[in-house]
Structures are given as C-alpha cells and as structure tokens.
Amino acid sequence: MWVKLAFKLFSREFRRGELTIIFAAIALAVLTVFSLSSITERIGLNIAQKSSDFIAADRRLSSNHAFEPSLLTQAQGFGLKTATMLYFDSMLFANDELVLGAVKATTEDYPLRGKIAIKDSLSSQSYEVDSGPKAGEAWLSEGLFYTLNVNIGDNVELGAGVFKVSKVLVKEPDAPFFSLSGNKRVLISYADIAKTQAVQQGSRVFHRLLFAGNEQQLNDYYTWLKPQLKSNQTWQGIKDKQSPLGNNLDRAERFLLLAGLFGIMLAAVAMAVSAKRYCERQYDPVAMMKTLGGSRQIIRNIFLLHLTLVTVFSIVAGLLIGFILQTIGADYLATFMGTDLPQAGIRPWLLSSFIGLICAMMFSLKPLLDLFDIPPLRVLRRHLGDTLAISRLHLALSFMTIFVLMWLFSGELMTTLILFVSTLVVIVILFVVSRLLFAAGRRLGLRPGTSWSLAIATLQKRANANAIQLISFALAIKLMLFLVVLKNDIISDWQMQVPPGAPNMFIINIAEQDVAPIEQFFNDNNIPHEAFYPVFNGRVDAVNGEAFARRVSKQEGEKRDENARAGVNREPNLTWLTTLPEGNKITQGQWFSDGVMTSDIIEVSVFDGWQKALDLKLGDTITLLVNEQPINAKVTSFRKVDWGSLKPNFVMILSPNMAGKVPVTYFSAAQLQDKDTKDISQLLQRYPTISMIDIKSRIEQAQAIIAQVSLAIGFVLSIVLVSGALVLISQVQASLAERMQEVVILRTLGAKGRLIKLATLYEFILLGAIAGLVAAIVSDVALLVIQQQLFNIDGRLHFYIWLLGPLSGAVFVASIGYFMVARTMRQNTQHLLRKLA
C-alpha cells in the first residue's frame, strides 16, 4: 500500500521539481568526483608514460658489473618486457682522425619507452624510430661526423671492429642528463660488443637492464629482486630522486590530487545544503500526512524510498554526465598534447559511486530524522518545527565523513589535514563575521526605503540562512582561489627552473690561456654564454680545527672512528668570485667585504644545504684540503642556491683573495642552437683538452613534459571552477521559494521593481565580498603551509588575492545569484502566488 503511494508521490514531486535540488546535488557530487578522478588518472598515466621516456622504460636496473642471466629470465616470467644495454668508452678511427667516443650497445627491444630520433644525412630532417641499429652498423652523433670527417655510408673503426655509418644519431630517450661525451655518442647493436674487443676482463663498463609492464608486474618482480640486489646495483624509476623530473612530476600529481580533494569538498557542501533544504520543503506535506492518519513508520518508509530512488537515479546520471565530460575533456587535451591519453581504470567508477552513496546517506540522515519529527499541529501553526535543533553529533559525523572521504581519495594524511583544518577555520570565521555584521546592520544609519537598507534588512532577516550561504560561497571561492594561485606558482616555479635563454651546454677543463680565445669565439658566433669561472676541487677536512672522520678501507677491515665528526664524502667544485652570482640569495651573514683583497683571511660563502650537513655557523673556520694543500677559510655567509636553474652554481664560493693560491681550470655555460653544432665541433678539435656537457635534448624533453602538465592542470582547474559555480547555483536555488515570498510581500507593500532588483543585487554583492575576503585570507595562509610542506617551493603571501578575493567573490556570486533570481523577479505577482501555493 505505502509503496504505491510512495511511487505516486515520487513521480508527482519529481515532475514538480521538488526533488531537483537533492538530485542535482548528488549528481554533482558523482560527476565532479568521476570527471576529476578520471581526468587526473588519465593525465597521470600519460605523464608517467611520457616521463618514462627519460629512462626508456618503466624501471631500470643499473650496475657496474654483469647481471646474472636469471634476472632477465625471472622478469620475463613475470610478464615484463626487457632490454639490455652496455656503456663503455672506445676509440673511433676514420680518415686519419682518432677520437674517444661514448658507446652504447643495445638489444633490439631498446627502447621500451620513447623513440630514438635519427637523420638519414646531416642536412635531412630528423624522424623517430622504435629500435636501434642492426648488427654491423653504427649510428654516430652529429659532432662525430665533423670530428671524424665522415659521411653516411662510410666505415669507421670502433675498437677492433669496422662498422658502417648508417644514421645520424639525434636524440636518445634516456641520454644521460649530464654527459661529458654529449657530442661524441655512438649507438651499436648489443650483438657487436665482442666484435669491438673493447670490453675485456676488468674493463670500465656500465650495465643496465630495462623493464616495462604494469605496476603490479613491476612490484611483484621487485619484491622478488630486492633481496638479491647488490650494494652497487640501483633500481630506478622516473619518480626516484635520481631522476631530474622526479620533483616536478611529484608536484604535478600532488596538484591533481588537491583538485580531486577540492571536488569532493564542493560536492559535500552542495549535498549538505541541498538535503537540508529539500527536507525543509517537505515539512508541510509531512504534517498533512500525519493529520490524515499516516504513521511515523509509513512516512519514514516513503521518504527513505524517495531518497533511495533519487540516489540511484542521480548516481547513474552523474556517472553518465561525468563520463561524457571526461571523454570530451580527454579528447580536447589529447589534441593539444599531440598524444592519446590512456583509459582510466575502474577506480573512478567505484570511487564516485561510493562517495555519492555516502554523501546521500550521511548528509540526509539528520534532515530526514527532523522531517519525521514534524508535529501535526504545523498544519495550523506553520512555524512549528522550523527551529529544530542542529545536532552536534550530526555535525561531527558530517565533518568526519568529509575528512574520511578526502583521506580515502588522497591517501595522504598531511594533505587532507591541511585542507580540512583550513576549511574549518573558514567556517568558524565566517559564522562569527556573519553574526557580527548582520547584527550590526541596524546601526549603519542607512536611509529607509533605499536598496542598500533593504539589502541589509534582508541579510538580517535571514541571518542563519545567510551564514550558511556565506560559508558555502566562501568554500567555493577559497578552493578556486587556492587552485588558481597554486597553479600559477607551480608553473612559474617550473619556468624559473628552465627559464628562456637558460644554458644548454657546459664547457669544462678550460686552461686559463684559452679563456680569452674561447670567449672571443662565442662572441664572434653570437652564442650567448655565461661568465668564465675558475674552478678547483677541494674536500672539507675540518671545522675549527676538528678533523672529520677520514674514509676507511672496508677491504682492510677498517672501522670508522665513531667519535670523529661526520663530513661530506665528496670533493665538490669550488670557485672564488667578487659578486654574488645570479639566482643565489644570502640567507645568513654578509657577502665578502670590500677590503677582503688586502686581508690575509680568506672568506667563504656556503650553500645552506651544507650548513646542517657540516653543522656550521657563522664565524666557523673551514679547512679545505686542495690536493695536499690545506686552506683555511672563515664562514661569513650562507646562500640559498637554485640548482634547477641550470646556471653555474657552487656549494662553496671563496673570496677573491683566494686567486693564485691553487691551480685552477675554467668553466662556462652557453646556449647553443642546432646551427652551432659544426662550429662547436671545430672548437673542440682546436682545444682537445676541454670537454663539453650537452644537456640540450634533455631540456627540450623536460620542457615538453612541463608544457603538457601545465595544460592538464589548467583543464582540471576549469572543472573545479565549474563545480564551484554549480555549488553556488544550488545554494541560491535553495532560497528561491523564500525569495518569491519576499518579492510578493514587497510588491504588495508598493515597492518598485528597480528597488527590489537593486536590493537583491546588493545582497549578493555583500555576501560575495565578505565570503571572498575571508576565503582569500585563509587561503593565503594555508598556501604558505601547502607550498612548503607538499611542493617544496618558497611559500609567500599573495596580497593581491586579498583584493582579488572580495572583488571576484562579489562579481561571481552577484552574477550567478542575480541570474538565478532574475526570472523570479520578472514574473507577475499572481503567477508567483500560484507557484507558492
């Protein structure tokens, strides 16, 4: 009996639009989470695939000695694709020219990820292939063609073997980021290693195994491999810290994760507001049903069935719309990225459905219980039940639900805590602010009958509802400001890492007498370059006379002196300079004094990362061991260094009175174009003692990845902006009935249409401005923590959003709010009364 009545009421209310709000809220929750999680997963998979090009595989295993054959056999047993490589140096000879080249021998499956770029001649266009040279062939980098004076089809002697030069090697996906033989690379078949006779017992070689497969296969294999790894074998993926892209990829994933978390928060807010408003609109029907003899159990069954039906329909609709949105978005992104985005797995479907179901249950529970408690006397006394107390337990459960859903989605407790706590701060501040402002409205001294006075009076009249609206508006604005500012900071930080005009080649081992002619060469050929820095190697041997623990020989069974001070077991490049290098910032102390040149005391500025490692403080005396010569230097400053800028940087810079005390070579960096390759090769022939580090191709790859990530982040941000707008729409939609009543009363009292319209507009402007101001301030403070803790970039206040927040909030809320109620105000009074009835 009650089931038939429930379906009849459901059909009637659905046609009348009574269930529109709660239906839209659940659908919004589902489609937001589904579209965000699908897009972020597909983008993440694409970024991971593209980034895997940097190592030509999903994982790689490196060693300086040969691998056991069982490693490959077992990997293939786990379903992994594999490839083998060997690096070694060997002499190349052709046309009476002899040069040392960096040789890489690969099996036919190389590369497992990415492509090799080659050319058929020096003057032809490059193209990509997915396998290396055949047996008997050698692919040479362009610089070797000029050095050896060879052409395509010529023979070149490599070790004891003779090889046919068949291609110009332009780019390898896994070319080392720093290579001393950047313009002297050779690629041959793995089968030709024996032919060269360059690899003998005790030869200095480097082995590498490549693996490709899904994450489960890779994890299973690594579980088997880990106990067998030697201390000098390294298992690496693109996210490892050894990878130059690791930090940037981690930042991108964290941003996409934040976007998903914000989507969940927006959906939860929309659901909570909509569920409460829907149940409030059912107070009168429930009171009528009780008056006519309906029992509490029947009423409960009817509305629980309604909730179940609307939840199922809305989840299905949300999944369908979300799938369409993410498909359109993915196709759009794929077009601009020039790639196909991988398909997402089952997780977005399950996650969005689960979140939609949980939101429907948790945020509708208390309003439904209130609905069942409506007294029958409400039929006569319409305000009975309007003041049902808000349950603290329900509030606690609601907040806990949001927290758990965010944590479930992110898997990161710190990220969830920062966002959740900052949101609670916004809620508390706004509730207090709204109470104070609305309570003080009568003391503003506004003239009766004006639009502003009517707007203030309306805000006072709906103080509780406006406080909830303020919180909803502020949360939407906060999340949007949060993502906009964070996106700009992340991308600008990436661009600072590889700024326009950054050097893409380093030249080292320059003799002092060669500095002037090399600099003249750069100037004559219009090649932008950095200054020439004197460099030498030195080891920090002691601080304030306290010697560091020396290296011990494990071969001889020596043990380290546990009482000795720990140091840094490497000899970095050091220099002396007069001025602070670009991109360096003094964090403590002062740069070298003007009179240092006439002083016997050598000063040193230390990279702040070594301050903690060496336990240094200002005024300490460092003893540097350069060759066998000890040099004492006084610590006068600590510097922050941007190592990602690709500019020449040093962990220690000594004062200029260091000049002449130790032998040095010089070091510089330049920005090369493709047209400069031949000239640089001739320069290297003219000065055979210098070496070039070529990172041009690696920078191009990194910039391509960053461009794709930036585009993806922008698209995900647009989804969150749309979700925020939908939250605002649902909030305004929930108050339309009450606004209709106000319009009818005001018109009955003789208020003009212009007065009502302006008052409504001013009301939304005030709500938006207040919400935007609080959202901007709290967002900026939370950003300080997020940037430092999660993204490892300098946190700073963004005072411009303190102005942007209220302005954008006022415009955003006023535009959406006025658009939503404009249709209501255009309708005549008789029509509004009929709708209210």
Side-chain angles (χ1 to χ4, degrees):
M1 179 66 182
W2 68 267
V3 175
K4 182 178 180 180
L5 177 61
F7 274 102
K8 185 175 181 180
L9 289 174
F10 180 82
S11 176
R12 179 172 172 267
E13 291 183 1
F14 204 87
R15 287 197 304 269
R16 289 181 56 191
E18 293 295 316
L19 291 171
T20 303
I21 299 173
I22 195 168
F23 176 87
I26 299 176
L28 171 64
V30 174
L31 76 89
T32 300
V33 174
F34 181 84
S35 56
L36 278 175
S37 57
S38 295
I39 287 290
T40 52
E41 182 173 325
R42 296 182 70 176
I43 290 171
L45 290 172
N46 180 69
I47 291 172
Q49 289 183 4
K50 292 294 183 183
S51 303
S52 293
D53 294 355
F54 278 80
I55 59 174
D58 294 323
R59 301 288 192 279
R60 67 185 182 193
L61 183 62
S62 305
S63 174
N64 57 8
H65 60 77
F67 296 105
E68 295 292 332
S70 61
L71 298 185
L72 281 178
T73 304
Q74 195 68 30
Q76 292 162 1
F78 278 99
L80 295 172
K81 297 180 180 179
T82 62
T84 306
M85 296 192 301
L86 181 70
Y87 293 88
F88 60 94
D89 292 333
S90 183
M91 301 302 298
L92 289 91
F93 181 77
N95 299 321
D96 296 327
E97 297 289 344
L98 189 65
V99 64
L100 180 66
V103 183
K104 178 164 69 176
T106 64
T107 54
E108 60 183 9
D109 293 322
Y110 167 86
L112 299 179
R113 296 282 186 257
K115 304 284 186 179
I116 306 172
I118 58 175
K119 294 195 295 187
D120 292 326
S121 68
L122 291 172
S123 58
S124 63
Q125 293 294 320
S126 64
Y127 61 94
E128 294 182 337
V129 295
D130 53 12
S131 61
K134 298 177 181 178
E137 296 182 359
W139 295 355
L140 309 182
S141 61
E142 189 170 344
L144 281 173
F145 279 83
Y146 300 121
T147 303
L148 296 174
N149 193 25
V150 294
N151 295 305
I152 296 295
D154 291 349
N155 290 332
V156 61
E157 295 182 29
L158 176 58
V162 178
F163 293 82
K164 179 183 178 181
V165 179
S166 58
K167 303 292 180 184
V168 180
L169 180 60
V170 178
K171 183 168 38 178
E172 308 146 83
D174 60 335
F177 196 75
F178 290 105
S179 171
L180 293 176
S181 302
N183 68 328
K184 302 173 183 177
R185 305 189 320 276
V186 183
L187 190 62
I188 63 172
S189 170
Y190 197 83
D192 285 332
I193 295 176
K195 180 179 177 180
T196 67
Q197 298 183 20
V199 179
Q200 302 293 332
Q201 189 73 21
S203 295
R204 185 176 179 181
V205 296
F206 192 71
H207 299 260
R208 183 169 285 169
L209 296 180
L210 304 182
F211 306 92
N214 61 47
E215 287 299 315
Q216 186 62 49
Q217 292 171 326
L218 292 164
N219 291 336
D220 290 344
Y221 177 68
Y222 183 61
T223 301
W224 174 85
L225 174 69
K226 188 175 181 179
Q228 306 177 59
L229 282 177
K230 306 290 192 302
S231 59
N232 59 353
Q233 293 178 336
T234 306
W235 176 264
Q236 290 177 312
I238 190 62
K239 294 181 183 178
D240 290 326
K241 291 185 177 180
Q242 296 93 328
S243 166
L245 274 186
N247 290 337
N248 285 344
L249 292 178
D250 185 61
R251 289 182 186 179
E253 289 187 355
R254 286 179 181 273
F255 184 92
L256 298 178
L257 175 67
L258 285 177
L261 291 177
F262 290 163
I264 291 176
M265 295 179 72
L266 290 172
V269 170
M271 182 62 218
V273 172
S274 301
K276 183 177 185 300
R277 182 56 186 165
Y278 167 73
C279 290
E280 288 175 351
R281 293 172 68 175
Q282 301 304 313
Y283 286 175
D284 291 340
V286 169
M288 184 66 70
M289 291 170 66
K290 286 186 175 182
T291 303
L292 296 175
S295 67
R296 179 184 177 89
Q297 181 177 358
I298 291 177
I299 295 173
R300 182 178 65 244
N301 292 341
I302 288 173
F303 282 97
L304 286 178
L305 180 59
H306 285 184
L307 178 62
T308 302
L309 291 174
V310 77
T311 300
V312 172
F313 290 157
S314 56
I315 288 177
V316 172
L319 290 175
L320 179 61
I321 298 172
F323 179 77
I324 295 173
L325 286 177
Q326 69 90 22
T327 301
I328 295 173
D331 291 343
Y332 175 82
L333 285 175
T335 300
F336 277 85
M337 288 182 175
T339 185
D340 293 328
L341 293 181
Q343 290 297 324
I346 194 67
R347 182 176 180 271
W349 296 89
L350 297 178
L351 181 65
S352 54
S353 300
F354 176 74
I355 288 177
L357 180 62
I358 293 298
C359 285
M361 291 174 56
M362 295 303 298
F363 299 119
S364 300
L365 181 61
K366 180 59 169 61
L368 277 176
L369 293 177
D370 288 344
L371 183 61
F372 305 148
D373 290 335
I374 293 297
L377 278 176
R378 182 180 171 89
V379 174
L380 299 176
R381 300 175 62 183
R382 297 293 304 276
H383 294 293
L384 283 177
D386 286 351
T387 58
L388 288 172
I390 297 176
S391 170
R392 295 180 180 177
L393 177 61
H394 179 250
L395 285 177
L397 286 175
S398 298
F399 284 125
M400 187 60 65
T401 299
I402 295 176
F403 180 82
V404 171
L405 290 177
M406 292 172 62
W407 192 6
L408 175 67
F409 182 81
S410 69
E412 293 191 11
L413 181 60
M414 179 61 70
T415 305
T416 304
L417 277 173
I418 293 173
L419 295 180
F420 187 75
V421 170
S422 67
T423 300
L424 289 181
V425 171
V426 170
I427 292 174
V428 172
I429 292 176
L430 275 174
F431 192 80
V432 174
V433 168
S434 63
R435 285 290 186 174
L436 293 176
L437 289 176
F438 300 153
R442 290 190 179 91
R443 294 192 292 272
L444 293 178
L446 297 173
R447 184 168 56 87
T450 65
S451 299
W452 278 108
S453 62
L454 181 57
I456 294 296
T458 305
L459 290 175
Q460 286 178 319
K461 177 177 175 291
R462 289 200 303 267
N464 289 333
N466 284 329
I468 296 174
Q469 280 192 335
L470 263 180
I471 292 170
S472 300
F473 294 158
L475 288 181
I477 296 169
K478 168 184 174 288
L479 301 183
M480 290 185 285
L481 284 176
F482 207 103
L483 287 184
V484 169
V485 175
L486 190 56
K487 168 187 178 280
N488 293 336
D489 282 0
I490 290 175
I491 293 176
S492 64
D493 187 69
W494 283 343
Q495 291 170 343
M496 287 174 61
Q497 290 183 21
V498 189
N504 54 25
M505 182 201 74
F506 297 98
I507 293 185
I508 62 176
N509 295 331
I510 305 173
E512 185 173 3
Q513 64 271 18
D514 295 334
V515 170
I518 292 176
E519 185 174 17
Q520 186 62 44
F521 168 84
F522 285 151
N523 294 332
D524 291 343
N525 290 275
N526 297 317
I527 298 176
H529 63 281
E530 301 292 322
F532 287 78
Y533 298 90
V535 292
F536 60 97
N537 296 110
R539 182 179 186 270
V540 181
D541 200 46
V543 173
N544 297 328
E546 182 182 355
F548 287 121
R550 73 175 184 86
R551 291 185 181 182
V552 297
S553 171
K554 294 182 180 180
Q555 176 68 33
E556 300 300 331
E558 291 182 303
K559 293 184 178 181
R560 179 182 174 274
D561 183 0
E562 297 298 333
N563 295 321
R565 187 168 181 166
V568 179
N569 289 323
R570 69 184 183 94
E571 296 186 2
N573 287 324
L574 309 176
T575 189
W576 62 77
L577 294 175
T578 304
T579 58
L580 184 69
E582 181 182 356
N584 286 228
K585 181 181 179 181
I586 298 293
T587 57
Q588 293 183 44
Q590 294 182 340
W591 187 245
F592 307 134
S593 58
D594 295 335
V596 71
M597 290 299 295
T598 58
S599 172
D600 293 332
I601 299 176
I602 297 173
E603 299 178 6
V604 62
S605 178
V606 183
F607 163 51
D608 58 5
W610 277 33
Q611 179 182 3
K612 184 177 181 180
L614 297 176
D615 192 22
L616 296 174
K617 59 182 182 295
L618 294 176
D620 282 348
T621 299
I622 294 177
T623 301
L624 298 171
L625 192 62
V626 182
N627 297 326
E628 296 181 358
Q629 179 183 356
I631 295 175
N632 293 322
K634 180 182 178 181
V635 178
T636 56
S637 66
F638 295 104
R639 292 171 293 114
K640 184 174 184 179
V641 180
D642 182 9
W643 298 100
S645 67
L646 301 183
K647 298 281 187 179
N649 281 308
F650 304 88
V651 294
M652 291 189 181
I653 300 177
L654 287 91
S655 53
N657 58 342
M658 179 68 189
K661 291 183 169 55
V662 293
V664 297
T665 59
Y666 282 78
F667 158 77
S668 186
Q671 184 188 22
L672 296 186
Q673 307 296 327
D674 291 338
K675 62 180 179 62
D676 301 319
T677 302
K678 184 175 181 178
D679 294 330
I680 287 294
S681 297
Q682 293 174 349
L683 176 71
L684 296 176
Q685 282 184 286
R686 194 182 315 160
Y687 300 98
T689 60
I690 66 176
S691 297
M692 183 182 80
I693 303 175
D694 184 6
I695 59 172
K696 179 160 59 70
S697 61
R698 310 303 287 166
I699 292 177
E700 292 172 354
Q701 284 180 287
Q703 289 174 328
I705 293 291
I706 289 173
Q708 291 188 7
V709 172
S710 302
L711 180 62
I713 285 175
F715 185 81
V716 170
L717 176 61
S718 68
I719 295 179
V720 175
L721 292 176
V722 173
S723 299
L726 292 176
V727 169
L728 298 181
I729 291 172
S730 66
Q731 181 63 274
V732 176
Q733 180 74 25
S735 65
L736 278 181
E738 190 174 354
R739 293 182 183 278
M740 286 183 188
Q741 292 178 345
E742 293 176 354
V743 171
V744 170
I745 294 172
L746 289 170
R747 285 179 178 176
T748 304
L749 295 175
K752 296 181 179 180
R754 175 180 173 82
L755 177 70
I756 299 174
K757 290 180 181 180
L758 287 178
T760 303
L761 181 62
Y762 294 157
E763 179 187 351
F764 283 119
I765 288 176
L766 286 173
L767 286 173
I770 296 170
L773 178 61
V774 176
I777 296 174
V778 176
S779 295
D780 210 13
V781 174
L783 274 169
L784 282 174
V785 182
I786 287 285
Q787 289 175 320
Q788 293 175 348
Q789 298 297 322
L790 301 183
F791 293 92
N792 296 319
I793 58 179
D794 292 337
R796 62 182 184 277
L797 290 176
H798 308 78
F799 293 107
Y800 70 90
I801 71 169
W802 295 31
L803 178 62
L804 178 63
L807 285 177
S808 61
V811 172
F812 194 46
V813 174
S815 301
I816 293 178
Y818 189 79
F819 174 79
M820 292 291 296
V821 301
R823 182 180 177 184
T824 297
M825 291 185 291
R826 286 196 298 267
Q827 296 175 3
N828 58 48
T829 305
Q830 184 179 7
H831 184 68
L832 290 177
L833 285 171
R834 192 177 297 116
K835 290 187 69 174
L836 287 171

